[in-house]
Coordinates of all heavy atoms in Angstrom, one line a residue:
M1 N 17.5 17.9 24.9 CA 17.2 16.8 24.0 C 15.7 17.0 23.6 O 15.4 16.9 22.4 CB 17.4 15.5 24.7 CG 17.3 14.3 23.8 SD 18.4 14.3 22.3 CE 17.7 13.0 21.4
K2 N 14.8 17.1 24.6 CA 13.4 17.2 24.4 C 13.1 18.4 23.4 O 12.3 18.3 22.5 CB 12.7 17.5 25.7 CG 11.5 16.5 25.8 CD 10.7 16.7 27.0 CE 9.6 15.6 27.1 NZ 9.4 15.0 28.3
K3 N 13.9 19.5 23.7 CA 13.6 20.7 22.9 C 14.0 20.5 21.4 O 13.3 21.0 20.5 CB 14.5 21.9 23.4 CG 13.8 22.7 24.5 CD 14.6 23.9 24.9 CE 13.9 24.6 26.0 NZ 14.8 25.4 26.8
I4 N 15.1 19.7 21.2 CA 15.5 19.4 19.8 C 14.4 18.6 19.1 O 14.0 18.9 18.0 CB 16.8 18.6 19.8 CG1 17.9 19.5 20.4 CG2 17.2 18.2 18.4 CD1 19.2 18.8 20.7
I5 N 13.8 17.6 19.9 CA 12.8 16.8 19.3 C 11.6 17.6 18.9 O 11.1 17.5 17.8 CB 12.4 15.6 20.2 CG1 13.6 14.7 20.4 CG2 11.2 14.9 19.7 CD1 13.4 13.7 21.5
I6 N 11.2 18.5 19.9 CA 10.0 19.3 19.6 C 10.3 20.3 18.4 O 9.4 20.4 17.5 CB 9.6 20.1 20.9 CG1 9.1 19.1 21.9 CG2 8.6 21.2 20.6 CD1 9.0 19.7 23.3
A7 N 11.5 20.8 18.4 CA 11.8 21.7 17.3 C 11.8 20.9 16.0 O 11.3 21.4 14.9 CB 13.2 22.3 17.5
T8 N 12.3 19.7 15.9 CA 12.3 18.9 14.7 C 10.9 18.6 14.3 O 10.5 18.7 13.1 CB 13.1 17.6 14.9 OG1 14.3 17.9 15.6 CG2 13.3 16.9 13.6
L9 N 10.0 18.2 15.3 CA 8.7 17.9 15.0 C 7.9 19.1 14.4 O 7.2 18.9 13.4 CB 7.9 17.4 16.2 CG 8.3 15.9 16.7 CD1 7.6 15.6 17.9 CD2 8.0 14.9 15.6
S10 N 8.1 20.2 15.0 CA 7.3 21.4 14.5 C 7.9 21.8 13.2 O 7.1 22.3 12.3 CB 7.3 22.5 15.5 OG 8.5 22.6 16.3
A11 N 9.2 21.6 13.0 CA 9.7 22.0 11.7 C 9.1 21.1 10.6 O 8.8 21.6 9.5 CB 11.3 21.8 11.7
S12 N 9.0 19.8 10.9 CA 8.5 18.9 9.8 C 7.0 19.2 9.7 O 6.4 19.0 8.6 CB 8.8 17.4 10.1 OG 8.5 17.1 11.4
A13 N 6.3 19.6 10.7 CA 4.9 19.9 10.6 C 4.7 21.1 9.7 O 3.8 21.2 8.9 CB 4.3 20.2 12.0
L14 N 5.6 22.1 9.9 CA 5.5 23.3 9.1 C 5.8 23.0 7.6 O 5.1 23.5 6.7 CB 6.6 24.3 9.5 CG 6.2 25.3 10.7 CD1 7.4 26.2 11.0 CD2 5.0 26.1 10.3
F15 N 6.8 22.1 7.4 CA 7.1 21.7 6.1 C 5.9 21.0 5.4 O 5.6 21.4 4.3 CB 8.3 20.7 6.1 CG 8.7 20.1 4.8 CD1 9.6 20.8 4.0 CD2 8.1 19.0 4.3 CE1 10.0 20.3 2.8 CE2 8.5 18.4 3.1 CZ 9.4 19.1 2.3
A16 N 5.3 20.2 6.2 CA 4.1 19.4 5.7 C 3.0 20.4 5.3 O 2.4 20.3 4.3 CB 3.7 18.4 6.7
A17 N 2.8 21.4 6.2 CA 1.7 22.3 6.0 C 1.9 23.2 4.8 O 1.0 23.4 4.0 CB 1.5 23.2 7.3
S18 N 3.2 23.6 4.6 CA 3.5 24.6 3.6 C 3.5 23.9 2.2 O 3.3 24.5 1.2 CB 4.8 25.3 3.8 OG 5.8 24.4 4.1
F19 N 3.8 22.6 2.2 CA 3.8 21.9 0.9 C 2.6 21.0 0.6 O 2.5 20.4 -0.4 CB 5.1 21.1 0.7 CG 6.3 21.9 0.6 CD1 7.0 22.3 1.8 CD2 6.8 22.4 -0.6 CE1 8.1 23.1 1.7 CE2 7.9 23.2 -0.7 CZ 8.6 23.6 0.5
G20 N 1.7 21.0 1.6 CA 0.5 20.3 1.4 C 0.6 18.8 1.4 O -0.3 18.0 1.2
A21 N 1.8 18.3 1.6 CA 2.0 16.8 1.7 C 2.9 16.5 2.9 O 3.7 17.4 3.3 CB 2.7 16.3 0.4
Q22 N 2.7 15.4 3.5 CA 3.4 15.1 4.7 C 4.8 14.5 4.3 O 4.8 13.5 3.6 CB 2.6 14.2 5.6 CG 3.1 14.1 7.0 CD 2.1 13.6 7.9 OE1 1.0 13.1 7.5 NE2 2.4 13.6 9.2
A23 N 5.8 15.0 4.9 CA 7.2 14.5 4.6 C 7.3 13.2 5.5 O 6.8 13.1 6.6 CB 8.2 15.5 5.0
A24 N 8.0 12.2 4.9 CA 8.2 11.0 5.6 C 9.1 11.2 6.9 O 10.1 11.9 6.8 CB 8.9 10.0 4.7
P25 N 8.6 10.7 8.1 CA 9.5 10.9 9.3 C 10.8 10.1 9.1 O 10.8 9.1 8.4 CB 8.6 10.2 10.4 CG 7.3 9.8 9.8 CD 7.4 10.0 8.3
A26 N 11.8 10.6 9.8 CA 13.2 10.0 9.7 C 13.1 8.5 9.9 O 13.8 7.7 9.2 CB 14.1 10.7 10.6
K27 N 12.3 8.1 10.9 CA 12.3 6.6 11.2 C 11.7 5.8 10.1 O 11.9 4.6 10.1 CB 11.5 6.4 12.5 CG 12.2 7.0 13.7 CD 13.3 6.1 14.3 CE 14.1 6.8 15.4 NZ 15.0 6.0 16.1
A28 N 11.0 6.4 9.2 CA 10.4 5.6 8.1 C 11.5 5.0 7.2 O 11.2 4.0 6.5 CB 9.4 6.5 7.3
A29 N 12.7 5.5 7.2 CA 13.7 5.0 6.4 C 14.0 3.5 6.7 O 14.3 2.7 5.8 CB 15.0 5.8 6.7
T30 N 13.7 3.0 7.9 CA 14.0 1.6 8.2 C 12.8 0.8 7.8 O 12.9 -0.5 7.8 CB 14.2 1.5 9.8 OG1 13.1 2.0 10.5 CG2 15.5 2.1 10.2
C31 N 11.7 1.3 7.4 CA 10.5 0.6 7.1 C 10.3 0.3 5.6 O 9.6 -0.5 5.1 CB 9.2 1.3 7.6 SG 9.4 2.2 9.1
V32 N 11.1 1.2 4.8 CA 10.9 1.2 3.4 C 11.1 -0.2 2.7 O 10.3 -0.6 1.8 CB 12.0 2.2 2.7 CG1 12.0 2.1 1.2 CG2 11.6 3.6 3.2
G33 N 12.1 -0.9 3.1 CA 12.5 -2.2 2.5 C 11.3 -3.1 2.5 O 11.1 -3.9 1.5
C34 N 10.5 -3.1 3.5 CA 9.3 -4.1 3.5 C 8.0 -3.4 3.2 O 7.2 -4.0 2.5 CB 9.3 -4.7 4.9 SG 10.7 -5.7 5.3
H35 N 7.8 -2.2 3.7 CA 6.5 -1.6 3.5 C 6.4 -0.6 2.4 O 5.4 0.0 2.2 CB 6.0 -0.9 4.8 CG 5.8 -1.9 5.9 ND1 4.7 -2.8 5.9 CD2 6.5 -2.2 7.0 CE1 4.8 -3.6 7.0 NE2 5.9 -3.2 7.7
G36 N 7.5 -0.3 1.7 CA 7.5 0.6 0.6 C 7.7 2.1 1.1 O 7.4 2.3 2.3
A37 N 8.1 3.0 0.2 CA 8.4 4.4 0.6 C 7.1 5.0 1.2 O 7.2 5.9 2.1 CB 9.0 5.1 -0.5
D38 N 6.0 4.7 0.6 CA 4.7 5.4 1.0 C 3.7 4.4 1.7 O 2.6 4.7 1.8 CB 4.0 6.0 -0.2 CG 3.7 5.0 -1.3 OD1 4.1 3.8 -1.1 OD2 3.1 5.4 -2.3
G39 N 4.3 3.2 2.1 CA 3.4 2.3 2.8 C 2.7 1.4 1.9 O 1.8 0.6 2.4
N40 N 2.9 1.4 0.6 CA 2.3 0.5 -0.3 C 3.3 -0.6 -0.6 O 4.1 -0.5 -1.5 CB 2.0 1.2 -1.6 CG 0.7 2.0 -1.5 OD1 -0.4 1.5 -1.3 ND2 0.8 3.3 -1.5
S41 N 3.3 -1.6 0.2 CA 4.2 -2.7 0.1 C 4.0 -3.5 -1.2 O 2.9 -3.6 -1.7 CB 4.0 -3.8 1.2 OG 3.5 -3.2 2.4
V42 N 5.1 -3.9 -1.8 CA 4.9 -4.7 -3.1 C 4.9 -6.2 -2.9 O 4.5 -6.9 -3.7 CB 6.0 -4.3 -4.1 CG1 5.8 -2.9 -4.7 CG2 7.4 -4.4 -3.5
V43 N 5.4 -6.6 -1.7 CA 5.4 -8.0 -1.4 C 4.1 -8.4 -0.6 O 3.9 -7.7 0.5 CB 6.7 -8.4 -0.6 CG1 6.7 -9.9 -0.3 CG2 7.9 -8.0 -1.4
P44 N 3.3 -9.3 -1.0 CA 2.1 -9.6 -0.3 C 2.2 -10.0 1.2 O 1.3 -9.7 2.0 CB 1.5 -10.8 -1.0 CG 2.2 -10.9 -2.3 CD 3.5 -10.2 -2.1
N45 N 3.4 -10.5 1.6 CA 3.6 -10.9 3.0 C 3.7 -9.7 3.9 O 3.6 -9.8 5.1 CB 5.0 -11.7 3.1 CG 4.8 -13.1 2.6 OD1 3.8 -13.4 2.1 ND2 5.8 -13.9 2.8
F46 N 4.0 -8.5 3.3 CA 4.2 -7.3 4.1 C 2.9 -6.5 4.0 O 2.6 -6.0 2.9 CB 5.4 -6.5 3.7 CG 6.7 -7.3 3.7 CD1 7.6 -7.2 2.7 CD2 6.9 -8.2 4.8 CE1 8.8 -7.9 2.7 CE2 8.1 -9.0 4.8 CZ 9.1 -8.8 3.8
P47 N 2.2 -6.3 5.1 CA 0.9 -5.5 5.0 C 1.1 -4.1 4.5 O 2.1 -3.5 4.7 CB 0.4 -5.5 6.4 CG 1.4 -6.1 7.3 CD 2.5 -6.7 6.4
K48 N 0.1 -3.7 3.7 CA 0.1 -2.3 3.2 C -0.3 -1.4 4.4 O -1.2 -1.6 5.1 CB -0.9 -2.1 2.1 CG -0.5 -2.8 0.8 CD -1.2 -2.2 -0.4 CE -0.7 -3.0 -1.6 NZ -0.9 -2.3 -2.8
L49 N 0.4 -0.3 4.6 CA 0.2 0.6 5.7 C -0.6 1.9 5.1 O -1.3 2.6 5.9 CB 1.5 1.1 6.3 CG 2.4 -0.1 6.8 CD1 3.7 0.5 7.4 CD2 1.7 -1.0 7.7
A50 N -0.4 2.2 3.8 CA -1.0 3.4 3.3 C -2.5 3.4 3.4 O -3.2 2.5 3.1 CB -0.6 3.5 1.8
G51 N -3.0 4.5 3.9 CA -4.4 4.8 4.0 C -5.1 4.0 5.2 O -6.3 4.2 5.3
Q52 N -4.4 3.3 6.0 CA -5.0 2.7 7.1 C -5.2 3.8 8.2 O -4.5 4.8 8.2 CB -4.1 1.6 7.7 CG -3.9 0.3 6.8 CD -3.7 -0.9 7.6 OE1 -4.5 -1.2 8.5 NE2 -2.7 -1.7 7.3
H53 N -6.1 3.5 9.1 CA -6.4 4.6 10.1 C -5.2 4.8 11.0 O -4.6 3.8 11.5 CB -7.6 4.2 11.0 CG -8.9 4.2 10.2 ND1 -9.5 5.3 9.7 CD2 -9.7 3.2 9.8 CE1 -10.6 5.0 9.1 NE2 -10.7 3.7 9.1
A54 N -4.9 6.0 11.3 CA -3.7 6.3 12.1 C -3.8 5.7 13.5 O -2.8 5.2 14.0 CB -3.6 7.9 12.3
N55 N -5.0 5.7 14.1 CA -5.2 5.1 15.4 C -4.9 3.6 15.4 O -4.3 3.1 16.3 CB -6.6 5.3 15.9 CG -6.9 6.7 16.4 OD1 -5.9 7.5 16.5 ND2 -8.1 7.0 16.7
Y56 N -5.3 3.0 14.3 CA -5.0 1.5 14.2 C -3.5 1.3 14.1 O -3.0 0.4 14.8 CB -5.8 0.9 12.9 CG -5.4 -0.5 12.7 CD1 -5.9 -1.5 13.5 CD2 -4.4 -0.8 11.7 CE1 -5.5 -2.8 13.2 CE2 -4.1 -2.1 11.5 CZ -4.6 -3.1 12.3 OH -4.2 -4.5 12.1
L57 N -2.9 2.0 13.2 CA -1.4 1.8 13.0 C -0.7 2.1 14.3 O 0.3 1.4 14.6 CB -0.9 2.8 11.9 CG -1.5 2.5 10.5 CD1 -1.0 3.5 9.5 CD2 -1.0 1.1 10.0
E58 N -1.1 3.1 15.0 CA -0.4 3.5 16.2 C -0.5 2.3 17.2 O 0.4 2.0 17.9 CB -1.1 4.8 16.8 CG -0.4 5.3 18.0 CD -1.0 6.6 18.5 OE1 -1.8 7.2 17.8 OE2 -0.7 6.9 19.7
K59 N -1.7 1.8 17.3 CA -1.9 0.7 18.3 C -1.1 -0.5 17.9 O -0.5 -1.2 18.8 CB -3.4 0.3 18.4 CG -3.6 -0.8 19.4 CD -5.1 -1.0 19.7 CE -5.2 -1.9 21.0 NZ -4.5 -3.1 21.0
Q60 N -1.1 -0.9 16.6 CA -0.3 -2.0 16.2 C 1.2 -1.9 16.5 O 1.8 -2.8 17.0 CB -0.5 -2.3 14.7 CG -1.9 -2.6 14.2 CD -2.7 -3.4 15.2 OE1 -2.3 -4.6 15.5 NE2 -3.8 -2.9 15.7
L61 N 1.7 -0.7 16.3 CA 3.1 -0.5 16.5 C 3.4 -0.5 18.0 O 4.4 -1.1 18.4 CB 3.6 0.9 15.9 CG 3.8 0.9 14.4 CD1 3.9 2.3 13.9 CD2 5.0 0.1 14.0
K62 N 2.6 0.0 18.8 CA 2.8 -0.1 20.3 C 2.6 -1.5 20.7 O 3.4 -2.0 21.6 CB 1.8 0.8 21.0 CG 2.1 2.3 20.9 CD 1.2 3.2 21.7 CE 1.6 4.6 21.6 NZ 0.5 5.5 22.0
D63 N 1.7 -2.2 20.2 CA 1.5 -3.6 20.5 C 2.7 -4.5 20.2 O 3.1 -5.4 20.9 CB 0.2 -4.2 19.9 CG -1.1 -3.7 20.7 OD1 -0.9 -3.0 21.7 OD2 -2.2 -4.1 20.2
F64 N 3.3 -4.3 19.0 CA 4.5 -5.0 18.6 C 5.6 -4.6 19.6 O 6.3 -5.5 20.1 CB 5.0 -4.6 17.2 CG 4.2 -5.2 16.0 CD1 3.7 -4.3 15.0 CD2 4.0 -6.5 16.0 CE1 3.0 -4.9 14.0 CE2 3.3 -7.1 14.9 CZ 2.8 -6.2 13.9
R65 N 5.7 -3.3 19.8 CA 6.8 -2.9 20.7 C 6.7 -3.4 22.1 O 7.7 -3.9 22.7 CB 6.8 -1.3 20.8 CG 7.9 -0.8 21.6 CD 7.7 0.7 21.9 NE 6.6 1.0 22.7 CZ 6.1 2.2 23.0 NH1 6.7 3.2 22.5 NH2 5.0 2.3 23.8
D66 N 5.5 -3.4 22.6 CA 5.3 -3.8 24.0 C 4.9 -5.3 24.2 O 4.6 -5.8 25.3 CB 4.2 -3.0 24.6 CG 4.5 -1.5 24.6 OD1 5.7 -1.1 24.5 OD2 3.6 -0.6 24.5
G67 N 5.0 -6.1 23.1 CA 4.8 -7.5 23.1 C 3.4 -8.1 23.2 O 3.2 -9.2 23.4
F68 N 2.4 -7.2 22.9 CA 1.0 -7.7 22.9 C 0.6 -8.3 21.6 O -0.2 -9.1 21.5 CB 0.0 -6.5 23.3 CG 0.2 -6.0 24.6 CD1 0.7 -4.7 24.9 CD2 -0.1 -6.8 25.7 CE1 0.9 -4.2 26.1 CE2 0.1 -6.3 27.0 CZ 0.6 -5.0 27.2
R69 N 1.2 -7.8 20.5 CA 1.1 -8.5 19.2 C 2.4 -9.1 18.9 O 3.5 -8.4 18.9 CB 0.7 -7.4 18.1 CG 0.5 -8.1 16.7 CD -0.1 -7.2 15.7 NE 0.0 -7.7 14.4 CZ -0.5 -7.2 13.3 NH1 -1.1 -6.0 13.4 NH2 -0.3 -7.8 12.1
K70 N 2.4 -10.4 18.6 CA 3.7 -11.1 18.4 C 4.1 -11.3 17.0 O 3.4 -11.8 16.2 CB 3.5 -12.6 19.0 CG 3.0 -12.6 20.4 CD 4.1 -12.5 21.5 CE 3.5 -12.6 22.9 NZ 4.2 -11.8 23.8
D71 N 5.2 -10.7 16.7 CA 5.8 -10.9 15.4 C 7.3 -10.5 15.6 O 7.6 -9.4 15.9 CB 5.2 -10.1 14.3 CG 5.8 -10.4 12.9 OD1 5.6 -11.5 12.4 OD2 6.6 -9.5 12.4
A72 N 8.2 -11.5 15.4 CA 9.6 -11.3 15.7 C 10.2 -10.1 14.9 O 10.9 -9.3 15.4 CB 10.4 -12.6 15.5
T73 N 9.8 -10.1 13.6 CA 10.4 -9.1 12.7 C 9.9 -7.7 13.2 O 10.7 -6.8 13.4 CB 9.9 -9.3 11.3 OG1 10.2 -10.6 10.9 CG2 10.5 -8.3 10.3
M74 N 8.6 -7.5 13.3 CA 8.1 -6.2 13.7 C 8.5 -5.8 15.1 O 8.7 -4.6 15.3 CB 6.6 -6.1 13.5 CG 6.1 -5.7 12.1 SD 7.0 -4.3 11.4 CE 6.6 -3.1 12.6
A75 N 8.6 -6.8 16.0 CA 9.0 -6.4 17.3 C 10.4 -5.8 17.3 O 10.7 -4.8 18.0 CB 9.1 -7.7 18.2
A76 N 11.3 -6.3 16.4 CA 12.6 -5.8 16.3 C 12.6 -4.3 15.8 O 13.4 -3.5 16.3 CB 13.5 -6.7 15.4
F77 N 11.7 -4.1 14.9 CA 11.7 -2.7 14.3 C 10.9 -1.7 15.2 O 11.2 -0.5 15.1 CB 11.2 -2.7 12.9 CG 12.2 -3.3 11.9 CD1 12.1 -4.6 11.5 CD2 13.2 -2.5 11.4 CE1 13.1 -5.1 10.6 CE2 14.1 -3.0 10.6 CZ 14.1 -4.3 10.2
A78 N 10.0 -2.2 15.9 CA 9.2 -1.3 16.8 C 9.9 -1.0 18.1 O 9.6 0.0 18.8 CB 7.8 -1.9 17.0
K79 N 10.8 -1.9 18.4 CA 11.5 -1.8 19.8 C 12.0 -0.5 20.2 O 11.7 0.0 21.3 CB 12.6 -2.9 19.8 CG 13.0 -3.4 21.2 CD 13.9 -4.5 21.1 CE 15.4 -4.0 20.9 NZ 16.4 -5.0 20.7
G80 N 12.7 0.2 19.3 CA 13.4 1.4 19.6 C 12.5 2.7 19.5 O 13.0 3.8 19.8
L81 N 11.2 2.5 19.1 CA 10.4 3.7 18.8 C 9.8 4.3 20.1 O 9.3 3.6 20.9 CB 9.3 3.3 17.8 CG 9.8 2.8 16.4 CD1 8.6 2.3 15.6 CD2 10.6 3.9 15.7
T82 N 9.8 5.6 20.2 CA 9.1 6.3 21.2 C 7.6 6.5 20.9 O 7.3 6.3 19.7 CB 9.7 7.7 21.5 OG1 9.5 8.5 20.3 CG2 11.2 7.7 21.7
D83 N 6.8 6.8 21.8 CA 5.4 7.1 21.5 C 5.2 8.2 20.5 O 4.4 8.1 19.6 CB 4.6 7.5 22.8 CG 4.4 6.3 23.7 OD1 4.8 5.2 23.4 OD2 3.7 6.5 24.8
A84 N 6.1 9.2 20.6 CA 6.0 10.3 19.6 C 6.3 9.9 18.2 O 5.7 10.3 17.2 CB 6.9 11.5 20.1
E85 N 7.4 9.1 18.1 CA 7.8 8.6 16.8 C 6.7 7.7 16.2 O 6.4 7.7 15.0 CB 9.1 7.8 16.9 CG 10.3 8.7 17.1 CD 11.6 8.0 17.6 OE1 11.5 6.8 18.0 OE2 12.6 8.6 17.4
I86 N 6.1 6.9 17.0 CA 5.0 6.0 16.5 C 3.8 6.8 16.0 O 3.3 6.5 15.0 CB 4.6 5.0 17.7 CG1 5.6 3.9 17.8 CG2 3.2 4.4 17.4 CD1 5.4 2.9 18.9
K87 N 3.5 7.9 16.7 CA 2.4 8.7 16.3 C 2.7 9.4 15.0 O 1.8 9.4 14.1 CB 2.2 9.8 17.4 CG 0.8 10.1 17.7 CD 0.6 11.2 18.8 CE -0.8 11.4 19.2 NZ -1.7 10.3 19.4
E88 N 3.9 9.8 14.8 CA 4.4 10.5 13.6 C 4.3 9.5 12.4 O 3.9 9.8 11.3 CB 5.8 11.0 13.8 CG 6.1 12.2 13.1 CD 7.6 12.6 13.1 OE1 8.3 12.0 13.9 OE2 8.0 13.5 12.4
L89 N 4.8 8.3 12.6 CA 4.8 7.2 11.6 C 3.4 6.9 11.2 O 3.0 6.8 10.0 CB 5.5 6.0 12.1 CG 7.1 6.0 12.1 CD1 7.7 4.9 13.0 CD2 7.7 6.0 10.7
A90 N 2.5 6.7 12.2 CA 1.1 6.3 12.0 C 0.4 7.4 11.2 O -0.3 7.1 10.2 CB 0.4 6.1 13.3
A91 N 0.7 8.7 11.5 CA 0.0 9.8 10.8 C 0.5 9.9 9.4 O -0.2 10.1 8.4 CB 0.3 11.1 11.5
F92 N 1.8 9.6 9.2 CA 2.4 9.6 7.8 C 1.8 8.6 6.9 O 1.3 8.9 5.9 CB 3.9 9.4 7.9 CG 4.5 9.2 6.5 CD1 4.6 10.2 5.6 CD2 5.0 7.9 6.2 CE1 5.1 10.0 4.3 CE2 5.6 7.7 4.9 CZ 5.6 8.7 4.0
Y93 N 1.8 7.3 7.4 CA 1.2 6.2 6.6 C -0.3 6.4 6.3 O -0.8 6.1 5.3 CB 1.6 4.9 7.1 CG 3.0 4.5 7.0 CD1 3.9 4.3 8.1 CD2 3.6 4.4 5.8 CE1 5.2 4.1 8.0 CE2 5.0 4.2 5.6 CZ 5.8 4.0 6.8 OH 7.1 3.7 6.6
A94 N -1.0 6.9 7.3 CA -2.4 7.1 7.2 C -2.7 8.1 6.1 O -3.7 8.1 5.4 CB -3.0 7.5 8.5
S95 N -1.8 9.1 5.9 CA -2.0 10.2 5.0 C -1.6 9.8 3.5 O -1.9 10.6 2.6 CB -1.2 11.4 5.4 OG 0.2 11.2 5.1
Q96 N -1.0 8.6 3.4 CA -0.6 8.2 2.0 C -1.8 7.5 1.3 O -2.6 6.8 1.9 CB 0.5 7.2 2.1 CG 1.8 7.8 2.8 CD 2.3 9.1 2.2 OE1 2.6 9.1 1.0 NE2 2.3 10.1 2.9
A97 N -1.9 7.7 0.0 CA -3.0 7.1 -0.8 C -2.7 5.6 -1.0 O -1.6 5.3 -1.4 CB -3.1 7.8 -2.1
P98 N -3.6 4.7 -0.7 CA -3.4 3.3 -1.0 C -3.4 3.0 -2.5 O -4.2 3.6 -3.2 CB -4.6 2.6 -0.3 CG -5.6 3.6 0.0 CD -4.9 5.0 -0.1
K99 N -2.5 2.2 -2.9 CA -2.4 1.8 -4.4 C -2.6 0.4 -4.6 O -2.3 -0.4 -3.7 CB -1.1 2.2 -4.9 CG -0.9 3.7 -5.0 CD 0.5 4.1 -5.4 CE 0.8 5.6 -5.2 NZ 2.2 5.9 -4.9
Ligands
LIG1 C1 11.9 -6.9 7.5 C2 10.6 -6.4 7.0 C3 9.8 -5.4 7.8 C4 10.3 -4.1 8.2 C5 11.7 -3.5 7.9 C6 9.2 -3.4 8.9 N1 8.1 -4.2 8.9 FE1 6.2 -3.8 9.6 N2 5.6 -5.6 9.2 C7 6.3 -6.6 8.6 C8 5.5 -7.9 8.6 C9 6.0 -9.2 8.1 C10 4.3 -7.6 9.2 C11 3.1 -8.5 9.5 C12 3.3 -9.1 10.9 C13 2.2 -10.0 11.3 O1 1.9 -10.9 10.6 O2 1.7 -9.8 12.4 C14 4.4 -6.1 9.5 C15 3.3 -5.4 10.1 C16 3.3 -4.1 10.3 C17 2.2 -3.3 10.8 C18 0.8 -3.8 11.1 C19 0.0 -3.7 9.9 C20 -1.4 -4.2 9.9 O3 -2.2 -4.0 9.0 O4 -1.8 -4.7 11.0 C21 2.6 -2.0 11.0 C22 1.8 -0.8 11.5 C23 4.0 -2.0 10.6 N3 4.4 -3.2 10.2 C24 4.8 -0.8 10.6 C25 6.1 -0.8 10.3 C26 7.0 0.4 10.5 C27 6.5 1.7 11.0 C28 8.3 0.0 10.3 C29 9.5 0.8 10.4 C30 9.8 1.3 11.7 C31 8.2 -1.4 9.8 N4 6.9 -1.9 9.9 C32 9.3 -2.2 9.4 C33 7.6 -6.5 8.1 C34 8.4 -5.4 8.3

């Protein structure tokens, strides 16, 4: 299982390196409805993720997941994420241009 994850991660890293843009991680599919495909949410209630610092995004997601930052909606979406998936999501949204 671990090997598959590592293989998937390095494959997407290669993809990103060769095309000069970072591909959206698989888990981002569940975030699109509220935060937009590239983290530029269109609804003011949903914070924009595009261009925020990766370390900040990573911490917020872990805090939602682990109950240090309270928001019922985000807790539900962060709940199933592993540390590696959170890192990948944070790097992806940080690399997107804010609009
Ligand atoms: C149903 C709508 C919804 C979905 C789906 C959703 N979010 Fe959120 N997200 C929110 C709301 C609302 C907030 C603001 C919570 C608060 O007020 O603390 C938020 C906040 C955040 C923040 C903190 C932003 C900041 O500036 O502090 C991050 C990071 C985040 N979401 C990432 C994600 C990721 C990654 C996913 C997918 C795994 C996701 N969200 C899915 C609604 C959603």
Side-chain angles (χ1 to χ4, degrees):
M1 187 60 189
K2 232 184 181 139
K3 273 191 182 151
I4 296 172
I5 293 171
I6 291 168
T8 313
L9 284 178
S10 33
S12 48
L14 275 179
F15 178 88
S18 51
F19 291 90
Q22 196 163 6
K27 293 280 172 172
T30 56
C31 324
V32 171
C34 296
H35 294 288
D38 60 355
N40 282 294
S41 332
V42 286
V43 180
N45 285 8
F46 304 140
K48 290 198 181 203
L49 309 178
Q52 294 210 50
H53 293 291
N55 285 351
Y56 173 77
L57 294 174
E58 185 179 344
K59 182 171 192 308
Q60 300 319 304
L61 282 168
K62 285 183 178 164
D63 283 356
F64 284 129
R65 182 191 65 186
D66 302 335
F68 296 111
R69 180 169 169 180
K70 308 272 182 214
D71 182 72
T73 305
M74 272 312 300
F77 285 97
K79 205 172 82 184
L81 300 173
T82 64
D83 284 2
E85 286 167 342
I86 285 178
K87 224 179 181 44
E88 214 188 348
L89 285 163
F92 168 70
Y93 288 117
S95 73
Q96 303 302 302
K99 287 174 193 151

